């Protein structure tokens, strides 16, 4: 993908297209030098509101405050919450851990200044879609053991990408050619975030980037055997990884880090995580990342609300707000997210 094309896509995504909202105060600020957009309901609250920190999707390469503007407005209005959308730095110009650090710093700043926005310290939630779901999971893990600020009440992970070990799980095979996220494109985005270029896609697809000891260590968590059988009926063939290539692993060593691959966090961290909502879509390469994380959370005693869109595809929640092609399944998924928020 050329840098000129990337520039054009970002330019189009960065255009302001919406005016004022009759029900919301909307303001752009910076938290620790990170751009944020705050949505606050205008109606006088009966008490302190819940706060939602939102991280947009876009493969760590695309996406902006503008691309998820309608979604954030909808969440703020319908759940009567204060929503903070975070405009984190993008790859490949800013590689891992830039996006994670921006999201963490913005979240910590918000947690330290909740009274300025009338937010209840006991009802703060992190939320994100796709790459934003990855960032929400990573931030939630980092803050889980902290006693320096209010604890998160919940995390909402919308079709998150949570590992870069195995791109041959059932969902990656079944949906490799399904828009809006093709398997090759998922690997491309991951490599752009990890190292700033997308060479070696084929080796990563084949599994040559993972040392045998690492594969063995994480097999208990990243394993097709942990995927319920009903998700394999559309066709799945167990994959034998190709020969390990140390020179490829040297380029992507950070995939060992839970702040990049939250599925790799130790049980002692997972056990401390807040109540969770996970949304998955049947026609999505990232479906199994969400299913595997759901199992890990439940195995460690974390309460999980899971909603699966059997007719959903990757990106459908944000596409729900499309002016030219709305998707009813996306509206159903978003309604369940709002219902979960309102229950907190």
């Amino acid at each position: 993908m050329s840098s000129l094309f990337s520039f054009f896509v970002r330019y189009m995504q960065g255009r302001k297209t919406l005016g004022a909202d009759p029900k919301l105060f909307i303001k752009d600020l910076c938290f620790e030098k990170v751009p944020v957009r705050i949505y606050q309901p205008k109606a006088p609250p009966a008490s302190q509101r819940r706060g939602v920190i939102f991280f947009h999707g876009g493969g760590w390469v695309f996406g902006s405050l503008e691309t998820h503007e309608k979604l954030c407005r909808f969440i703020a209005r319908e759940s009567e919450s204060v929503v903070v959308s975070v405009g984190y730095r993008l790859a490949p110009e800013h590689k891992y851990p830039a996006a994670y650090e921006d999201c963490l710093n913005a979240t910590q700043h918000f947690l330290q200044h909740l009274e300025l926005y009338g937010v209840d310290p006991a009802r703060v939630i992190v939320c994100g879609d796709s790459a934003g779901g990855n960032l929400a999971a990573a931030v939630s893990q980092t803050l889980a053991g902290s006693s320096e600020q209010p604890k998160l009440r919940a995390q909402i992970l919308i079709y998150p990408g949570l590992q870069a070990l195995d791109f041959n799980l059932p969902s990656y095979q079944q949906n490799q050619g399904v828009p809006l996220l093709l398997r090759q494109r998922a690997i491309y985005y991951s490599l752009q975030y990890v190292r700033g270029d997308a060479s070696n896609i084929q080796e990563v697809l084949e599994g040559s980037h993972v040392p045998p000891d690492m594969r063995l260590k994480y097999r208990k968590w990243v394993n097709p055997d942990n995927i319920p059988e009903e998700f394999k009926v559309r066709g799945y063939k167990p994959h034998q990884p190709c020969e390990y290539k140390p020179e490829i692993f040297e380029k992507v060593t950070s995939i060992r880090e839970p702040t990049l691959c939250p599925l790799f966090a130790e049980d002692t961290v997972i056990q401390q995580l807040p109540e969770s909502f996970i949304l998955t879509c049947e026609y999505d390469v990232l479906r199994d990342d969400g299913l595997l994380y759901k199992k890990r959370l439940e195995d460690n005693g974390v309460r999980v609300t899971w909603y699966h869109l059997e007719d959903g595809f990757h990106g459908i929640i944000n596409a729900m707000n499309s002016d030219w092609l709305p998707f009813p399944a996306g509206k159903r998924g978003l309604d369940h997210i709002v219902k979960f928020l309102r229950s907190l």
Side-chain angles (χ1 to χ4, degrees):
M1 185 182 297
S2 70
S3 57
L4 182 62
F5 177 74
S6 296
F7 173 81
F8 175 74
V9 171
R10 287 185 187 172
Y11 169 76
M12 295 299 291
Q13 290 184 340
R15 295 184 307 156
K16 288 183 179 291
T17 57
L18 298 177
D21 190 297
K23 294 185 178 181
L24 299 172
F25 294 113
I26 303 173
K27 188 173 184 179
D28 287 354
L29 296 172
C30 280
F31 286 175
E32 307 299 324
K33 299 182 180 179
V34 180
V36 301
R37 182 167 295 166
I38 301 179
Y39 306 82
Q40 293 177 277
K42 289 182 178 179
S47 59
Q48 289 179 308
R49 298 190 187 277
R50 72 182 66 77
V52 179
I53 306 160
F54 185 86
F55 309 130
H56 67 76
W60 304 282
V61 174
F62 297 115
S64 67
L65 299 177
E66 308 301 335
T67 58
H68 289 62
E69 170 89 356
K70 283 188 177 181
L71 178 59
C72 288
R73 288 188 183 200
F74 184 90
I75 292 172
R77 285 195 307 263
E78 298 302 315
S79 70
E80 299 179 334
S81 302
V82 175
V83 174
V84 177
S85 183
V86 179
Y88 56 86
R89 288 172 290 171
L90 299 175
E93 298 91 335
H94 304 283
K95 296 178 289 189
Y96 168 83
Y100 158 73
E101 289 176 344
D102 284 357
C103 292
L104 177 62
N105 290 337
T107 302
Q108 290 177 318
H109 178 97
F110 185 57
L111 288 170
Q112 292 161 8
H113 299 87
L114 296 175
E115 71 283 354
L116 296 178
Y117 308 101
V119 170
D120 183 351
R123 293 195 298 160
V124 180
I125 301 98
V126 291
C127 174
D129 68 317
S130 192
N134 167 281
L135 295 165
V139 167
S140 187
Q141 289 181 3
T142 301
L143 297 178
S146 174
S147 58
E148 297 178 2
Q149 61 261 315
K151 289 189 177 297
L152 295 175
R153 175 64 180 84
Q155 59 176 348
I156 297 175
L157 312 180
I158 304 168
Y159 34 72
L162 301 169
Q163 58 87 31
L165 182 94
D166 189 349
F167 291 98
N168 281 281
L169 292 168
S171 63
Y172 285 92
Q173 291 188 16
Q174 295 163 345
N175 303 308
Q176 59 182 297
V178 178
L180 297 170
L181 184 64
L182 312 183
R183 178 168 63 170
Q184 291 262 0
R185 188 58 56 185
I187 301 171
Y188 169 89
Y189 288 139
S190 297
L191 288 172
Q192 290 281 41
Y193 183 40
V194 170
R195 51 183 295 232
D197 82 74
S199 56
N200 308 118
I201 287 180
Q202 191 59 35
E203 289 92 339
V204 172
L205 172 60
E206 294 169 349
S208 300
H209 65 303
V210 183
D213 61 333
M214 180 179 172
R215 189 177 299 280
L216 187 62
K217 176 181 179 180
Y218 294 125
R219 183 160 179 76
K220 58 187 173 182
W221 299 330
V222 184
N223 191 327
D225 291 345
N226 293 343
I227 304 294
E229 290 302 314
E230 61 262 32
F231 292 102
K232 302 174 184 176
V233 295
R234 285 199 291 122
Y236 164 65
K237 294 182 179 180
H239 174 75
Q240 189 62 36
C242 291
E243 182 181 357
Y244 169 54
K245 297 179 180 179
E247 69 275 15
I248 304 299
F249 176 65
E250 287 303 313
K251 298 177 181 180
V252 297
T253 53
S254 53
I255 66 168
R256 295 176 297 188
E257 303 298 330
T259 49
L260 179 66
C261 296
L263 203 46
F264 297 166
E266 295 295 331
D267 285 343
T268 51
V269 173
I270 300 292
Q271 290 162 5
Q272 299 180 72
L273 290 174
E275 183 176 352
S276 304
F277 179 100
I278 297 177
L279 183 139
T280 54
C281 292
E282 179 61 29
Y283 300 100
D284 179 7
V285 290
L286 300 185
R287 181 197 69 200
D288 292 351
D289 286 31
L291 294 178
L292 291 172
Y293 202 50
K294 170 181 178 286
K295 177 174 171 31
R296 284 217 62 201
L297 291 167
E298 291 174 338
D299 288 349
N300 281 279
V302 178
R303 184 178 177 183
V304 178
T305 298
W306 172 54
Y307 188 67
H308 182 64
L309 287 172
E310 294 182 353
D311 52 349
F313 55 86
H314 192 83
I316 195 171
I317 296 300
N318 207 33
M320 185 281 296
N321 283 303
S322 169
D323 293 326
W324 56 276
L325 191 61
F327 294 96
K331 180 64 164 56
R332 288 203 315 274
L334 190 50
D335 285 344
H336 276 78
I337 292 168
V338 169
K339 179 181 177 182
F340 175 77
L341 277 171
R342 294 181 72 97
S343 74
L344 301 175

